[in-house]
Amino acid sequence: MIYLHNKVIHSRINQELESLKARGNSHRDVLEITYSDSTLKHIGLMEYHTDTDVVITNTRGDILISSAKVNGGMNKILAKNIPQVPRKGMVLQSSWKDERYIATVTPFISDKEKKGYVYMFKDTRDVEDLIAQLNRHFLFATALLLLFMLITIYFLSKALTRPLISMKEATTKLSKGNFSVAVPVRSHDELGELAQSIQSLANELNYLKKERNEFLASISHELRTPLTYIKGYADITRRKDLDASERTRYLEIIHDESERLNRLLDELFNMARMDVNTFTISKEIVQLFSFLQNIHEKVLPAFANERIQLNLECKDDLFIDIDPSRFEQVILNLLDNALKYSNEYTVTTIKATECNGWISISIIDQGVGIPPEDVPHIFDRLYRVEKSRARDTGGFGLGLSIVKQLVEIQGGTISVKSNLEQGTCFTITFKEKTNEDSSSG
Ligand SMILES: Nc1ncnc2c1ncn2[C@@H]1O[C@H](COP(=O)(O)OP(=O)(O)OP(=O)(O)O)[C@@H](O)[C@H]1O
Ligand SMILES: [Mg+2]
């Protein structure tokens, strides 16, 4: 603004000087054409009515005519030594701040004797008025500009701080463990990117939390199965009428299950240490018959207790590539369901068959069955058909979702067929491992 102010004033003064000079030049032209006393008088009269003044002198400096009384300020300029004045005139006094007049001079030659100078004056008070007016305009413009800037700065800083504040609130929530935050992404600049990163961090944390909770639920579900067997068999062993060999068998199962429990807890501890939120698997080639027979023997007393017959049908030349302890969890969960959802004097069958290089393991029961509308959902977490069924089977609806997860991470698939009041068949399918595979792999 200061630069502009100086420039405008400078050019305004120049303009004044130029117009002063042009006026002097036009007087010169008149004088050069018709130099006479009356012409001189006319020129003086003309300038009398304007805000400029004229003084015409001869070459010696005698005043021929003046439009106003020649005062000190004028005299000071008239007394100046002017060496060679160009025909188009020159500026004699341009400093409007300290002097009373700004002035120009133009020479004229009418004929040999009639030579002289036309001095033009303008009172600097007029110029100062003009400049004061200009200053007022500038001041107003400056105030307006400042106001506009302040308003812009206010809104800009608002626009900048608002997303920052909402991000700060979000991170505070995150640090307090509340991961379900929503950070609005308002722009596509660095702030928007930051908001987006905070949002994806929150989503990630939320997901991890959910996954961890789900995994903890699964783990406690899986810990409960061996505990149920341990408790059940301990109850049976306490019976007085039990013969010694049977008691030893039950005690062996209790021992085995305690070990399984121990292994599960070890794994759990390792997973916590490695920050893993899912079951890990380590596969090996397993002979299916002995694997299933082991489980069959273990759960047989529990089925016998409910007066349900449990059969095992499996050829002894079948091999599959699985993680035995994870797969045992799968079969135990399915058998647990068969036991829970079957009535007395029914038959449950564990059946393994081989067809075109695929091995199917089915758990077939003659239980209550699953209503067709529930079948698509039974593998969902926490889904239970049980709501309407008045049976004391208080589960969580976790078993089948764990089964599905465990089967799939081992590379298998699971399907279900069920008829209400007739029974249910769960079938797990795996690629067969031939004997050559097992010896080479
Ligand atoms: N063999 C079966 N016969 C009839 N219904 C079954 C059978 N297996 C599962 N279901 C139905 O599917 C639902 C889901 O089974 P899932 O094993 O996931 O849960 P749950 O057995 O109720 O509880 P949890 O296994 O967590 O103790 C059960 O509520 C049950 O109604
Ligand atoms: Mg279950």
Side-chain angles (χ1 to χ4, degrees):
M1 288 302 272
I2 290 171
Y3 173 78
L4 199 65
H5 178 255
N6 285 345
K7 275 276 157 196
V8 168
I9 286 178
H10 189 73
S11 72
R12 199 76 194 86
I13 296 290
N14 273 351
Q15 242 172 14
E16 288 296 329
L17 286 168
E18 281 306 314
S19 87
L20 216 53
K21 207 157 71 181
R23 245 182 132 71
N25 288 354
S26 73
H27 292 327
R28 173 204 62 198
D29 293 344
V30 174
L31 281 174
E32 286 183 348
I33 296 165
T34 53
Y35 182 90
S36 66
D37 278 352
S38 77
T39 311
L40 285 173
K41 252 187 208 157
H42 265 116
I43 292 175
L45 206 64
M46 252 164 74
E47 290 301 335
Y48 182 75
H49 292 292
T50 61
D51 55 358
T52 50
D53 285 314
V54 66
V55 173
I56 300 175
T57 65
N58 59 19
T59 41
R60 289 192 303 278
D62 304 328
I63 295 172
L64 302 175
I65 188 92
S66 72
S67 64
K69 202 170 164 282
V70 177
N71 56 29
M74 287 180 176
N75 268 330
K76 203 172 153 191
I77 291 165
L78 290 175
K80 274 194 182 176
N81 219 358
I82 38 175
Q84 188 75 46
V85 185
R87 191 174 151 68
K88 63 180 195 314
M90 65 182 262
V91 174
L92 266 185
Q93 178 72 267
S94 64
S95 58
W96 57 276
K97 273 184 195 151
D98 335 305
E99 302 295 336
R100 261 208 72 186
Y101 292 97
I102 53 172
T104 63
V105 61
T106 310
F108 72 91
I109 310 171
S110 155
D111 54 49
K112 272 203 183 100
E113 297 96 68
K114 286 154 189 163
K115 292 185 193 170
Y117 297 105
V118 180
Y119 288 90
M120 292 298 301
F121 297 92
K122 188 175 175 87
D123 200 324
T124 49
R125 269 177 303 195
D126 292 348
V127 178
E128 272 161 14
D129 282 352
L130 197 90
I131 302 242
Q133 203 180 346
L134 249 173
N135 284 351
R136 277 195 298 278
H137 288 327
F138 263 91
L139 221 69
F140 181 68
T142 310
L144 215 67
L145 199 75
L146 273 178
L147 188 76
F148 178 70
M149 259 163 63
L150 282 178
I151 292 174
T152 314
I153 288 172
Y154 175 78
F155 282 111
L156 254 179
S157 65
K158 269 267 152 178
L160 278 178
T161 50
R162 205 166 40 161
L164 277 178
I165 288 171
S166 74
M167 279 187 250
K168 191 203 126 219
E169 279 166 1
T171 45
T172 315
K173 270 193 202 164
L174 283 185
S175 71
K176 285 185 182 143
N178 177 2
F179 300 136
S180 50
V181 296
V183 191
V185 179
R186 289 200 179 89
S187 53
H188 297 293
D189 52 6
E190 286 80 359
L191 274 181
E193 276 170 26
L194 182 61
Q196 209 145 33
S197 325
I198 292 179
Q199 185 64 64
S200 48
L201 173 71
N203 294 350
E204 185 75 359
L205 286 172
N206 213 2
Y207 173 74
L208 280 179
K209 182 179 161 190
K210 190 170 146 254
E211 206 178 46
R212 162 146 283 176
N213 288 348
E214 282 182 3
F215 184 57
L216 278 179
S218 300
I219 283 288
S220 54
H221 183 271
E222 293 315 280
L223 288 178
R224 202 169 313 115
T225 320
L227 273 177
T228 320
Y229 283 111
I230 290 173
K231 182 175 170 291
Y233 291 136
D235 283 345
I236 302 174
T237 335
R238 277 200 308 210
R239 290 213 298 253
K240 295 253 162 39
D241 57 340
L242 215 64
D243 63 53
S245 72
E246 251 180 319
R247 177 158 301 158
T248 324
R249 212 178 105 219
Y250 290 141
L251 284 174
E252 250 161 38
I253 296 177
I254 291 178
H255 178 258
D256 286 354
E257 281 305 274
S258 316
E259 273 193 343
R260 211 165 79 82
L261 204 54
N262 227 343
R263 277 204 305 278
L264 262 174
L265 284 173
D266 273 349
E267 271 175 45
L268 190 59
F269 183 68
N270 280 339
M271 283 184 217
R273 217 180 40 193
M274 293 187 301
D275 228 355
V276 180
N277 277 345
T278 158
F279 290 107
T280 50
I281 54 163
S282 60
K283 291 214 251 180
E284 56 189 79
I285 308 291
V286 172
Q287 205 225 348
L288 199 53
F289 178 71
S290 61
F291 173 79
L292 290 178
Q293 198 183 29
N294 226 332
I295 299 177
H296 180 255
E297 262 174 32
K298 181 162 32 184
V299 297
L300 197 56
F303 275 77
N305 212 30
E306 300 283 328
R307 292 182 192 79
I308 297 170
Q309 190 184 326
L310 182 65
N311 293 341
L312 171 63
E313 292 172 22
C314 178
K315 288 198 287 176
D316 57 6
D317 61 347
L318 300 180
F319 292 88
I320 51 173
D321 190 14
I322 46 164
D323 179 332
S325 59
R326 291 293 94 87
F327 202 63
E328 186 173 340
Q329 275 171 262
V330 170
I331 304 290
L332 284 179
N333 268 318
L334 292 176
L335 286 175
D336 180 54
N337 282 352
L339 183 63
K340 272 200 297 195
Y341 305 112
S342 294
N343 296 319
E344 288 184 320
Y345 309 114
T346 57
V347 182
T348 296
T349 311
I350 310 171
K351 185 173 175 181
T353 54
E354 187 271 320
C355 178
N356 295 334
W358 294 91
I359 291 186
S360 301
I361 301 145
S362 304
I363 312 290
I364 308 152
D365 66 43
Q366 298 173 343
V368 293
I370 305 166
E373 66 271 20
D374 289 307
V375 171
H377 305 292
I378 51 167
F379 291 108
D380 295 351
R381 270 184 94 76
L382 304 179
Y383 190 88
R384 304 198 68 223
V385 183
E386 212 41 31
K387 281 161 269 173
S388 58
R389 292 180 184 170
R391 267 188 67 173
D392 181 24
T393 52
F396 291 97
L398 283 177
L400 285 180
S401 75
I402 296 171
V403 164
K404 189 171 162 71
Q405 189 194 350
L406 288 179
V407 167
E408 281 172 1
I409 58 173
Q410 294 179 75
T413 54
I414 182 163
S415 62
V416 59
K417 276 205 192 83
S418 185
N419 285 318
L420 219 47
E421 306 303 337
Q422 286 177 28
T424 307
C425 169
F426 283 96
T427 305
I428 299 164
T429 312
F430 271 98
K431 188 107 185 85
E432 183 180 10
K433 279 277 159 180
T434 57
N435 248 334
E436 296 93 74
D437 286 343
S438 59
S439 53
S440 64

